[in-house]
Amino acid sequence: MTTTFALPVPSSSGSLEQYIQAVNSVPMLTPEQETELATRFQQDNDLEAARQMVLSHLRVVVSISRGYAGYGLPQADLIQEGNIGLMKAVKRFEPGRGVRLFSFAVHWIKAEIHEFILRNWRLVRIATTKPQRKLFFNLRSMKSSFSALSENEARQIAEDLGVKPEEVREMETRMSGQDIALMADDGDDEGYAPIDWLADAHHEPTRALERKAFDHLQTEGIEYALSSLDARSRRIVEARWLADDGGATLHELAAEFGVSAERIRQIEAKALGKMKTALSEGVVIDS
């Protein structure tokens, strides 16, 4: 299926601010409206319903795109790519899973922006494997200062991201490039200096979106995953991992169900695997 409905397009010219104002003026959908529109799109191929879902979430793309300003690419282009990810998310969205489009779309938006950066930023063509891509997009935030990484810090980052310490140091070198002044020269009215890219990480829009998605995972997401289990498996998981009193032992549950402790362990392992699969299908959070 090809979506052909018209959407506002961000421009690298002076109209970018007008675009941002326009998309921010579109109200977010209520859960009921979202479910109705998604159902119309899925069952009747109603492109107007899909268009309304996309329009109401364009502001999310704008917020996420701001988190990638430090890569030196035009924000209008980042927004364009993020919008492609949003449309892919709308196409795949299933309201029956109990997950809001907002949470589901974050992964698709960021994935398209990541691919765009990797295609267009010459310093990151080294990032050809999944661990290297993860290193590229996380190295800046994981550094404790602007100074060069120490051996211990490089080793810790490598361990956390599943790469080699030498890969961490090589990526740092490639990303550092030549020295650039933090502040622009007095009287320089053209372009942006690195100081313009710095932000409070705690309140940075992408982090706020990730926190909201994570909070959702810890509440509705867990309940959704539990609902995929049969009654016995759910009882075992809740008793072992979600009880307020520290959880039941394998032997206590074995006595309750009249089976061996090893059988309880097997049921528990299978249930946790099924929950993991349900979560990955129902709630996507970019790592």
Side-chain angles (χ1 to χ4, degrees):
M1 182 207 69
T2 302
T3 51
T4 59
F5 48 82
L7 292 172
V9 177
S11 168
S12 298
S13 65
S15 63
L16 178 60
E17 286 304 316
Q18 284 90 336
Y19 169 84
I20 293 174
Q21 291 176 6
V23 300
N24 285 338
S25 68
V26 180
M28 295 292 287
L29 300 172
T30 65
E32 294 76 18
Q33 290 172 327
E34 188 172 282
T35 299
E36 178 189 355
L37 292 171
T39 301
R40 282 167 47 191
F41 180 47
Q42 285 188 344
Q43 296 182 356
D44 305 323
N45 195 28
D46 187 339
L47 295 185
E48 176 58 27
R51 179 176 179 274
Q52 291 182 45
M53 287 193 290
V54 171
L55 284 174
S56 68
H57 288 77
L58 290 177
R59 63 170 68 191
V60 178
V61 177
V62 171
S63 293
I64 292 176
S65 71
R66 289 188 176 124
Y68 297 92
Y71 296 102
L73 297 171
Q75 187 184 7
D77 292 345
L78 295 173
I79 292 174
Q80 289 263 38
E81 296 299 318
N83 286 348
I84 294 174
L86 173 60
M87 286 187 281
K88 288 183 177 180
V90 168
K91 182 177 179 179
R92 293 165 173 79
F93 180 59
E94 298 181 20
R97 292 188 178 275
V99 179
R100 294 297 304 275
L101 176 58
F102 176 96
S103 300
F104 182 74
V106 169
H107 164 79
W108 294 98
I109 294 168
K110 295 178 76 172
E112 289 298 320
I113 292 176
H114 285 186
E115 287 298 324
F116 174 73
I117 293 173
L118 291 171
R119 289 195 307 268
N120 291 276
W121 209 50
R122 63 179 179 83
L123 294 178
V124 303
R125 289 179 182 171
I126 181 180
T128 55
T129 67
K130 186 175 181 180
Q132 286 176 338
R133 293 184 180 201
K134 190 173 182 180
L135 170 61
F136 171 67
F137 286 109
N138 287 276
L139 182 56
R140 280 193 175 119
S141 62
M142 295 181 73
K143 290 182 63 173
S144 59
S145 68
F146 290 108
S147 58
L149 290 172
S150 66
E151 286 297 322
N152 288 338
E153 192 173 12
R155 191 179 305 109
Q156 184 61 54
I157 292 175
E159 182 179 341
D160 291 343
L161 297 179
V163 297
K164 299 176 181 178
E166 51 266 29
E167 290 181 300
V168 174
R169 290 189 290 270
E170 182 179 2
M171 185 67 76
E172 180 192 26
T173 301
R174 288 174 176 264
M175 294 179 68
S176 298
Q178 62 183 14
D179 292 336
I180 301 175
L182 182 64
M183 303 288 291
D185 294 334
D186 292 340
D188 184 3
D189 296 328
E190 297 183 0
Y192 292 90
I195 190 67
D196 298 309
W197 301 333
L198 300 179
D200 181 349
H202 182 74
H203 294 94
E204 192 271 319
T206 306
R207 297 289 180 85
L209 291 172
E210 290 175 344
R211 286 197 301 272
K212 183 170 182 178
F214 181 77
D215 290 342
H216 178 87
L217 176 64
Q218 296 298 302
T219 53
E220 289 93 338
I222 293 297
E223 181 58 35
Y224 169 74
L226 285 171
S227 68
S228 68
L229 304 178
D230 59 76
R232 181 174 65 171
S233 297
R234 176 165 182 159
R235 163 62 183 154
I236 291 173
V237 170
E238 289 179 335
R240 290 276 290 159
W241 297 97
L242 302 178
D244 295 331
D245 58 0
T249 67
L250 293 175
H251 291 285
E252 289 172 341
L253 290 168
E256 178 179 335
F257 289 102
V259 296
S260 66
E262 174 60 20
R263 179 56 182 155
I264 294 296
R265 187 196 65 76
Q266 293 172 355
I267 296 173
E268 176 188 26
K270 183 176 180 180
L272 292 175
K274 189 172 183 179
M275 288 179 66
K276 182 178 180 180
T277 300
L279 284 172
S280 66
E281 293 175 349
V283 182
V284 180
I285 300 177
D286 183 44
S287 58

